[in-house]
Amino acid sequence: GDSVTQMEGPVTLSEEAFLTINCTYTATGYPSLFWYVQYPGEGLQLLLKATKADDKGSNKGFEATYRKETTSFHLEKGSVQVSDSAVYFCALMSGGYNKLIFGAGTRLAVHP
Amino acid sequence: DTAVSQTPKYLVTQMGNDKSIKCEQNLGHDTMYWYKQDSKKFLKIMFSYNNKELIINETVPNRFSPKSPDKAHLNLHINSLELGDSAVYFCASSQDWTSARAGELFFGEGSRLTVL
């Protein structure tokens, strides 16, 4: 079945460092891809999305490009802040049933 | 004004008890969901309703029964609680599940259930 694999965390960075969180997927058809973020004690929020190959989603300085050839949707940010500390979830929307399938989440901790 | 609100936020109860979690959304969305997040933060969909009709029912024990009295509300009732039911339960909503924005979910803050 469809699935999402994310790099294991935690990822620990200093402020202003470059961030990459890897995400790869397995899906039949052409899924839409998403990144969600969960701040401590809160529900998930949509961060960005891409609906077709080569689309780039971006929001709040974060970017991810839908790469069909490598079935990847890696999240990047050029300069992280302490306020970016959270758990990041990669997800795909399965075309057949239109349900979101999440990866295991990657915890990011940014230190001053 | 909270978009997706769940009550209660915390629930501590004994094994064998029955409990309910309520969810309401004021976004005018047609589709609502229940997700379970375990202690390792893994999120798994449980149920989805579209305009009061069940459209997704994952392999969830029969002890879990969702109810949608109208498209703005989705409640979750759990019978005979077990230790393994301890988790955070998230309600979410989206526009109609067949729309281009179906994957854009709005989540509540979660209800942390602890079964002793």
Side-chain angles (χ1 to χ4, degrees):
Chain A
D2 296 353
S3 65
V4 176
T5 303
Q6 290 181 235
M7 63 187 285
E8 279 194 37
V11 174
T12 304
L13 294 173
S14 298
E15 214 166 16
E16 298 183 5
F18 185 86
L19 169 71
T20 301
I21 299 178
N22 290 340
C23 170
T24 57
Y25 67 90
T26 302
T28 51
Y30 304 98
S32 295
L33 301 174
F34 304 82
W35 277 101
Y36 278 79
V37 59
Q38 184 179 26
Y39 298 102
E42 297 184 11
L44 281 74
Q45 304 172 25
L46 177 63
L47 182 59
L48 52 85
K49 75 172 199 179
T51 57
K52 61 183 189 299
D54 300 325
D55 264 3
K56 178 187 279 191
S58 61
N59 186 22
K60 300 181 182 179
F62 291 89
E63 292 183 341
T65 301
Y66 189 142
R67 302 278 187 210
K68 186 163 170 281
E69 63 276 12
T70 54
T71 61
S72 65
F73 193 54
H74 304 320
L75 183 69
E76 296 182 336
K77 187 176 185 185
S79 175
V80 292
Q81 306 300 312
V82 172
S83 58
D84 294 325
S85 299
V87 181
Y88 291 81
F89 292 89
C90 186
L92 68 83
M93 172 142 278
S94 167
Y97 297 97
N98 279 10
K99 64 180 179 182
L100 265 185
I101 296 169
F102 285 92
T106 303
R107 183 180 298 279
L108 170 66
V110 181
H111 299 291
Chain B
D1 208 16
T2 307
V4 180
S5 57
Q6 301 178 223
T7 54
K9 195 165 180 179
Y10 299 97
L11 200 48
V12 180
T13 190
Q14 301 287 332
M15 263 195 328
N17 284 350
D18 304 339
K19 289 294 176 189
S20 292
I21 306 171
K22 296 188 174 184
C23 179
E24 175 181 3
Q25 54 96 3
N26 63 7
L27 297 167
H29 288 164
D30 287 331
T31 307
M32 295 185 73
Y33 308 82
W34 279 111
Y35 277 84
K36 179 181 180 181
Q37 187 175 49
D38 64 23
S39 58
K40 294 185 179 177
K41 298 289 190 185
F42 186 70
L43 267 167
K44 190 164 172 16
I45 190 168
M46 300 173 70
F47 303 102
S48 174
Y49 272 72
N50 187 71
N51 209 0
K52 302 192 296 176
E53 294 210 14
L54 182 67
I55 54 171
I56 294 174
N57 184 351
E58 292 292 286
T59 48
V60 177
N62 289 341
R63 299 181 295 103
F64 290 79
S65 51
K67 268 208 176 74
S68 182
D70 56 62
K71 74 175 195 176
H73 295 84
L74 180 62
N75 303 323
L76 182 66
H77 187 75
I78 316 170
N79 289 326
S80 305
L81 278 156
E82 301 177 357
L83 292 176
D85 298 332
S86 295
V88 181
Y89 292 84
F90 284 99
C91 178
S93 71
S94 71
Q95 290 188 4
D96 186 278
W97 71 302
T98 60
S99 79
R101 306 189 76 168
E104 297 179 22
L105 267 56
F106 289 75
F107 282 81
E109 291 189 342
S111 298
R112 182 177 293 276
L113 171 65
T114 303
V115 183
L116 303 174

